[in-house]
mmCIF file of all heavy atoms in Angstrom:
data_model
loop_
_atom_site.group_PDB
_atom_site.id
_atom_site.type_symbol
_atom_site.label_atom_id
_atom_site.label_comp_id
_atom_site.label_asym_id
_atom_site.label_seq_id
_atom_site.Cartn_x
_atom_site.Cartn_y
_atom_site.Cartn_z
ATOM 1 N N THR A 70 132.561 109.074 118.280
ATOM 2 C CA THR A 70 133.139 108.445 116.955
ATOM 3 C C THR A 70 132.486 109.036 115.776
ATOM 4 O O THR A 70 132.684 108.577 114.690
ATOM 5 C CB THR A 70 132.808 106.910 117.028
ATOM 6 O OG1 THR A 70 131.379 106.694 117.196
ATOM 7 C CG2 THR A 70 133.688 106.255 118.155
ATOM 8 N N THR A 71 131.637 110.059 115.946
ATOM 9 C CA THR A 71 130.862 110.794 114.892
ATOM 10 C C THR A 71 130.293 109.657 114.012
ATOM 11 O O THR A 71 130.448 109.718 112.766
ATOM 12 C CB THR A 71 131.835 111.642 114.108
ATOM 13 O OG1 THR A 71 132.846 111.097 113.550
ATOM 14 C CG2 THR A 71 132.317 112.906 114.992
ATOM 15 N N SER A 72 129.572 108.856 114.594
ATOM 16 C CA SER A 72 128.871 107.708 113.799
ATOM 17 C C SER A 72 127.428 107.614 114.173
ATOM 18 O O SER A 72 126.844 108.105 115.185
ATOM 19 C CB SER A 72 129.574 106.409 114.096
ATOM 20 O OG SER A 72 129.365 106.026 115.394
ATOM 21 N N PHE A 73 126.732 106.971 113.247
ATOM 22 C CA PHE A 73 125.236 106.752 113.348
ATOM 23 C C PHE A 73 124.920 105.474 112.525
ATOM 24 O O PHE A 73 124.265 105.599 111.574
ATOM 25 C CB PHE A 73 124.441 108.019 112.875
ATOM 26 C CG PHE A 73 123.106 108.046 113.222
ATOM 27 C CD1 PHE A 73 122.589 107.869 114.525
ATOM 28 C CD2 PHE A 73 122.096 108.169 112.252
ATOM 29 C CE1 PHE A 73 121.214 107.970 114.928
ATOM 30 C CE2 PHE A 73 120.740 108.336 112.507
ATOM 31 C CZ PHE A 73 120.413 108.158 113.817
ATOM 32 N N HIS A 74 125.380 104.328 112.954
ATOM 33 C CA HIS A 74 125.213 103.103 112.245
ATOM 34 C C HIS A 74 123.908 102.505 112.345
ATOM 35 O O HIS A 74 123.311 102.486 113.453
ATOM 36 C CB HIS A 74 126.310 102.048 112.688
ATOM 37 C CG HIS A 74 127.685 102.524 112.691
ATOM 38 N ND1 HIS A 74 128.272 103.323 111.682
ATOM 39 C CD2 HIS A 74 128.724 102.313 113.540
ATOM 40 C CE1 HIS A 74 129.521 103.543 111.949
ATOM 41 N NE2 HIS A 74 129.845 102.937 113.017
ATOM 42 N N LEU A 75 123.320 102.078 111.176
ATOM 43 C CA LEU A 75 122.091 101.520 111.125
ATOM 44 C C LEU A 75 122.114 99.942 111.366
ATOM 45 O O LEU A 75 122.968 99.316 110.824
ATOM 46 C CB LEU A 75 121.352 101.792 109.803
ATOM 47 C CG LEU A 75 119.944 101.287 109.629
ATOM 48 C CD1 LEU A 75 118.980 102.042 110.457
ATOM 49 C CD2 LEU A 75 119.492 101.451 108.179
ATOM 50 N N GLU A 76 121.197 99.499 112.234
ATOM 51 C CA GLU A 76 121.283 98.051 112.499
ATOM 52 C C GLU A 76 119.718 97.553 112.500
ATOM 53 O O GLU A 76 118.906 98.180 112.860
ATOM 54 C CB GLU A 76 121.910 97.757 113.905
ATOM 55 C CG GLU A 76 123.346 98.167 113.978
ATOM 56 C CD GLU A 76 124.001 97.826 115.256
ATOM 57 O OE1 GLU A 76 123.202 97.694 116.321
ATOM 58 O OE2 GLU A 76 125.210 97.627 115.317
ATOM 59 N N LYS A 77 119.754 96.226 112.124
ATOM 60 C CA LYS A 77 118.486 95.471 112.314
ATOM 61 C C LYS A 77 118.777 93.980 112.659
ATOM 62 O O LYS A 77 119.647 93.423 111.902
ATOM 63 C CB LYS A 77 117.556 95.677 111.106
ATOM 64 C CG LYS A 77 116.165 94.928 111.278
ATOM 65 C CD LYS A 77 115.196 95.181 110.190
ATOM 66 C CE LYS A 77 113.902 94.626 110.562
ATOM 67 N NZ LYS A 77 112.843 94.783 109.437
ATOM 68 N N GLY A 78 118.203 93.486 113.534
ATOM 69 C CA GLY A 78 118.523 92.121 114.023
ATOM 70 C C GLY A 78 118.107 91.051 112.983
ATOM 71 O O GLY A 78 118.851 90.029 112.961
ATOM 72 N N SER A 79 117.018 91.155 112.336
ATOM 73 C CA SER A 79 116.590 90.155 111.397
ATOM 74 C C SER A 79 115.859 90.851 110.174
ATOM 75 O O SER A 79 114.738 91.274 110.421
ATOM 76 C CB SER A 79 115.571 89.149 112.133
ATOM 77 O OG SER A 79 115.121 88.245 111.264
ATOM 78 N N VAL A 80 116.597 90.795 109.006
ATOM 79 C CA VAL A 80 115.878 91.576 107.839
ATOM 80 C C VAL A 80 114.915 90.661 107.216
ATOM 81 O O VAL A 80 115.025 89.434 107.195
ATOM 82 C CB VAL A 80 117.033 92.036 106.936
ATOM 83 C CG1 VAL A 80 117.928 93.117 107.494
ATOM 84 C CG2 VAL A 80 117.881 90.845 106.434
ATOM 85 N N GLN A 81 113.993 91.303 106.449
ATOM 86 C CA GLN A 81 112.992 90.662 105.676
ATOM 87 C C GLN A 81 113.229 91.106 104.165
ATOM 88 O O GLN A 81 113.798 92.053 103.921
ATOM 89 C CB GLN A 81 111.601 91.053 106.126
ATOM 90 C CG GLN A 81 111.424 90.765 107.627
ATOM 91 C CD GLN A 81 111.605 89.278 107.974
ATOM 92 O OE1 GLN A 81 111.018 88.427 107.333
ATOM 93 N NE2 GLN A 81 112.428 89.011 109.103
ATOM 94 N N VAL A 82 112.583 90.385 103.309
ATOM 95 C CA VAL A 82 112.757 90.578 101.938
ATOM 96 C C VAL A 82 112.102 91.921 101.645
ATOM 97 O O VAL A 82 112.654 92.844 100.854
ATOM 98 C CB VAL A 82 111.947 89.625 101.077
ATOM 99 C CG1 VAL A 82 111.766 90.048 99.631
ATOM 100 C CG2 VAL A 82 112.630 88.279 101.144
ATOM 101 N N SER A 83 111.102 92.465 102.323
ATOM 102 C CA SER A 83 110.510 93.791 102.227
ATOM 103 C C SER A 83 111.317 94.970 102.718
ATOM 104 O O SER A 83 111.040 96.059 102.428
ATOM 105 C CB SER A 83 109.190 93.831 103.093
ATOM 106 O OG SER A 83 109.446 93.461 104.375
ATOM 107 N N ASP A 84 112.479 94.632 103.338
ATOM 108 C CA ASP A 84 113.426 95.633 103.687
ATOM 109 C C ASP A 84 114.319 96.088 102.588
ATOM 110 O O ASP A 84 115.166 97.062 102.615
ATOM 111 C CB ASP A 84 114.315 95.215 104.811
ATOM 112 C CG ASP A 84 113.548 95.073 106.157
ATOM 113 O OD1 ASP A 84 112.533 95.795 106.392
ATOM 114 O OD2 ASP A 84 113.900 94.077 106.965
#
Side-chain angles (χ1 to χ4, degrees):
Chain A
T70 54
T71 62
S72 64
F73 193 55
H74 305 321
L75 182 68
E76 296 182 336
K77 187 175 186 183
S79 176
V80 293
Q81 305 300 311
V82 172
S83 56
D84 293 327

